[in-house]
Amino acid sequence: MKRFALLTVFVLFLTVTVRPTQAWNYAGHRIIAAIAWDQLTPERRMELVQLLKQHPRFEQDFQSRMPQIIKDATPEIQARWLFMRAATWPDIARSFKDADREKYHHGTWHYINQPIYLDEASKNALSKQLSANVATSIKAGDDVLGFNIIQALEYCVAQLKDPRVSQADKAVYFCWVMHLVGDSHQPLHSSALFSRRMFPEGDRGGNDIRIAKSNLHSQWDGLLGNSFKDSEIVGQAVGIERDPANKRLGESAARDLNYVTWINESHELAREKGYSEEILEAARVSEAEGGKFQKLSSLPQSYYRQAGSIAVKRAAQAGWRLAAVLESMR
């Protein structure tokens, strides 16, 4: 088992130089969903898949996109595929056109920019006039369209519990809960680097930290791999679940369903591990020399090994917590 865990981290390291993506990428969100699927009771699985079939775009975004190999498989495998795809749907909505994009795409829901200050001068200059929405709950008068990830989770779960909400709308909110539980465990979705000259409004969760042909945020998004093959995605999820340390971590995490706690965990990881000294030093030099971040050619292999290990642990926590949230809404 230890050998498998080390191999998993090695594979994650090899896949880190991936194309830019949004949030955990396609594979990452589906891995987390597959872990959650395995923790749910069979009855709850079927209830959620039946809800998903009420989605207003079910035919075009789900049924018609099902691969033939899945269509030829058992009903349970088809149901799992639909469940896993639900976790990716809010990213799919980014590509919608016109009215559907306006209705279903909510860019600010994916993250919160809790500040990490480059230096004390930046903290003193910016902390009292921070432009980022760092609210940890919904207050009267808040604009739904401007919610951060904590507020969006609170809102979507409330909509799913509300008997007045239609099944079609609940199916949409279900997809968002699937997605946002995953996003909340990606450290770069919790934080942004702020500095007086270079990043007075934050670095957009590492999107403005350019590394080789990518950026810091995209590299973290790809840490769980790049596969589009369901067998590989499910296999990786099972590997994570069966590691005793990950299982203990996931079960322990599922006892804490406070969204603020999840974000604080991610923020601490971003501050301590995501923004490494190499990155901060490059930012300090760039701040002093002209206020524009100078691209890094690379980061040490040790950085990616550590990041890959963190990603596996966060996937375990997210998967078990997602299952617990979905069970609690019955």
Side-chain angles (χ1 to χ4, degrees):
M1 188 62 68
K2 288 183 179 179
R3 185 180 175 209
F4 177 84
L6 289 172
L7 178 60
T8 298
V9 173
F10 178 67
V11 170
L12 295 172
F13 166 65
L14 288 179
T15 59
V16 75
T17 54
V18 298
R19 56 178 174 74
T21 54
Q22 302 287 346
W24 290 120
N25 63 9
Y26 178 90
H29 276 294
R30 289 168 69 82
I31 287 167
I32 290 168
I35 293 171
W37 176 266
D38 288 341
Q39 314 315 312
L40 293 170
T41 63
E43 295 77 16
R44 187 56 173 154
R45 293 174 184 171
M46 292 305 106
E47 288 172 358
L48 292 168
V49 171
Q50 288 304 312
L51 173 62
L52 185 59
K53 290 180 179 180
Q54 308 307 308
H55 195 290
R57 291 180 57 100
F58 179 76
E59 178 57 37
Q60 62 206 102
D61 293 342
F62 293 86
Q63 193 63 40
S64 67
R65 300 292 183 173
M66 184 179 288
Q68 190 61 48
I69 192 172
I70 302 297
K71 290 180 180 179
D72 294 338
T74 65
E76 182 177 359
I77 289 176
Q78 293 176 18
R80 184 179 63 191
W81 185 91
L82 292 169
F83 181 86
M84 290 162 59
R85 185 165 175 82
T88 70
W89 184 81
D91 277 345
I92 295 170
R94 295 174 186 271
S95 64
F96 293 169
K97 304 297 182 184
D98 304 324
D100 272 0
R101 189 177 196 277
E102 184 177 350
K103 182 176 182 179
Y104 295 120
H105 170 56
H106 305 297
T108 67
W109 286 18
H110 295 261
Y111 64 89
I112 183 172
N113 283 336
Q114 290 188 334
I116 297 171
Y117 295 105
L118 182 60
D119 49 38
E120 278 300 312
S122 295
K123 182 177 181 179
N124 292 337
L126 300 173
S127 61
K128 293 182 180 179
Q129 53 185 13
L130 199 65
S131 59
N133 174 13
V134 293
T136 56
S137 63
I138 300 172
K139 296 181 176 59
D142 285 344
D143 181 6
V144 172
L145 297 180
F147 281 171
N148 62 38
I149 191 171
I150 297 174
Q151 294 171 311
L153 267 168
E154 179 184 339
Y155 176 73
C156 291
V157 169
Q159 296 302 300
L160 279 165
K161 291 180 177 180
D162 190 338
R164 298 167 297 179
V165 176
S166 71
Q167 292 298 101
D169 286 343
K170 285 188 176 186
V172 172
Y173 292 122
F174 163 60
C175 292
W176 272 103
V177 169
M178 293 278 288
H179 189 82
L180 295 178
V181 172
D183 275 356
S184 66
H185 288 76
Q186 205 274 55
L188 273 295
H189 276 257
S190 72
S191 309
L193 182 67
F194 287 78
S195 68
R196 287 180 298 169
R197 298 177 63 191
M198 190 164 50
F199 301 132
E201 296 183 356
D203 73 337
R204 301 187 304 126
N207 275 290
D208 293 333
I209 302 294
R210 294 172 299 157
I211 302 171
K213 296 180 180 180
S214 184
N215 62 64
L216 184 65
H217 188 102
S218 292
Q219 294 198 352
W220 275 82
D221 282 345
L223 285 170
L224 290 172
N226 253 338
S227 178
F228 280 80
K229 293 183 178 180
D230 287 278
S231 59
E232 293 178 0
I233 289 170
V234 172
Q236 189 169 344
V238 170
I240 292 172
E241 293 173 67
R242 288 182 177 176
D243 184 290
N246 290 333
K247 186 174 186 292
R248 288 192 298 271
L249 184 65
E251 290 175 342
S252 175
R255 292 193 285 271
D256 190 342
L257 301 185
N258 186 319
Y259 316 139
V260 177
T261 298
W262 305 351
I263 290 296
N264 287 342
E265 291 168 353
S266 286
H267 180 66
E268 185 69 12
L269 288 168
R271 188 174 64 83
E272 294 291 335
K273 307 299 182 183
Y275 289 93
S276 66
E277 184 54 36
E278 295 92 347
I279 294 169
L280 293 176
E281 180 58 25
R284 285 190 285 264
V285 171
S286 298
E287 177 88 357
E289 291 185 349
K292 183 176 181 180
F293 188 81
Q294 301 301 309
K295 180 173 68 175
L296 286 167
S297 60
S298 64
L299 288 171
Q301 292 187 5
S302 59
Y303 179 91
Y304 293 119
R305 284 195 295 269
Q306 182 179 69
S309 178
I310 290 169
V312 168
K313 292 175 182 176
R314 292 303 276 168
Q317 291 174 305
W320 261 273
R321 280 170 168 163
L322 175 56
V325 168
L326 295 175
E327 288 283 5
S328 73
M329 293 188 300
R330 302 185 72 165

